[in-house]
C-alpha cells in the first residue's frame, strides 16, 4: 500500500508566480539578478525587493544581448549595485571578506588549471585540441595542465581522450 500524499494539482497561473516573487523578495536580504529580459519575472522580484527596502544587485552582460536588457534596466532605473563576483555579492549584503588575507584579485582570478578542468567532462572524452578550444588556452599549456591534473588524480586518459576522474 502506497502511503505517499496525493500530489498537489494546481494550475500554473501568472498571478501565483507574482505572489511567489513577493515572498522571495520579502525573505531575502538582497536580490541579485543575473540574467533578465526587458520584461521578466526577475525584474518583478527586484521591484518588490526595492519597495521593501532590500538591496538589489545586477550582473551586467553584453549590451547586444536581450538576456542582459533587464539587468541594465535595473542598473539604470532602480540604481541596483553592479556585481560581477561572489565577493561583491558578499560585500553588498555585508558579509565582508571571507577569503582571508591576501590579494583579492588573485583570489578571484581563475587559474589556467581550473579552466582546463572546466573544459573537461566526466562522461565524454575530449582531445587536447578540443580542451584548448573550450578553455581558451594553447595546446602546450593544456597538455602541461592535463599532466599535472593526471598526477593529482583529477583526470584520466584513454584512447578516446581526457576525462574528469
Amino acid at each position: 500500500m502506497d502511503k505517499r500524499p496525493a500530489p498537489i494539482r494546481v494550475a500554473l497561473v501568472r498571478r501565483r508566480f507574482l505572489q511567489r516573487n513577493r515572498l522571495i523578495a520579502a525573505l531575502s536580504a538582497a536580490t541579485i539578478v543575473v540574467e533578465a529580459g526587458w520584461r521578466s519575472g526577475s525584474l518583478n522580484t527586484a521591484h518588490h525587493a526595492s519597495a521593501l527596502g532590500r538591496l538589489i544587485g545586477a550582473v551586467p552582460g553584453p549590451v547586444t544581448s536581450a538576456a542582459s536588457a533587464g539587468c541594465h534596466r535595473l542598473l539604470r532605473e532602480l540604481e541596483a549595485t553592479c556585481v560581477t563576483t561572489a565577493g561583491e555579492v558578499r560585500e553588498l549584503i555585508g558579509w565582508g571578506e571571507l577569503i582571508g588575507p591576501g590579494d583579492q584579485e588573485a583570489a578571484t582570478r581563475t587559474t589556467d588549471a581550473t579552466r582546463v578542468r572546466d573544459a573537461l567532462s566526466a562522461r565524454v572524452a575530449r582531445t587536447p585540441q578540443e580542451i584548448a578550444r573550450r578553455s581558451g588556452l594553447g595546446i602546450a599549456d593544456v597538455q602541461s595542465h592535463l599532466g599535472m591534473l593526471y598526477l593529482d588524480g583529477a583526470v584520466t586518459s584513454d584512447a578516446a581522450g581526457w576525462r574528469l576522474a
Side-chain angles (χ1 to χ4, degrees), residues 25-46:
L27 294 172
S28 303
T31 298
I32 310 298
V33 180
V34 178
E35 273 191 353
W38 186 256
R39 292 176 35 96
S40 166
S42 300
L43 297 181
N44 177 267
T45 304

Side-chain angles (χ1 to χ4, degrees), residues 35-123:
E35 273 191 353
W38 186 256
R39 292 176 35 96
S40 166
S42 300
L43 297 181
N44 177 267
T45 304
H47 280 90
H48 285 302
S50 177
L52 293 169
R54 301 292 197 264
L55 300 167
I56 309 294
V59 178
V63 295
T64 56
S65 171
S68 298
C71 292
H72 298 157
R73 185 175 171 189
L74 287 175
L75 291 168
R76 260 191 331 273
E77 294 176 5
L78 289 184
E79 296 181 11
T81 302
C82 178
V83 293
T84 57
T85 66
E88 290 175 352
V89 173
R90 289 191 302 268
E91 180 183 321
L92 176 67
I93 61 176
W95 282 5
E97 197 59 46
L98 299 179
I99 61 169
D103 181 21
Q104 170 68 24
E105 182 181 341
T108 59
R109 187 173 45 234
T110 302
T111 65
D112 289 348
T114 302
R115 291 169 66 183
V116 170
R117 281 185 66 121
D118 289 347
L120 289 166
S121 167
R123 291 180 283 147

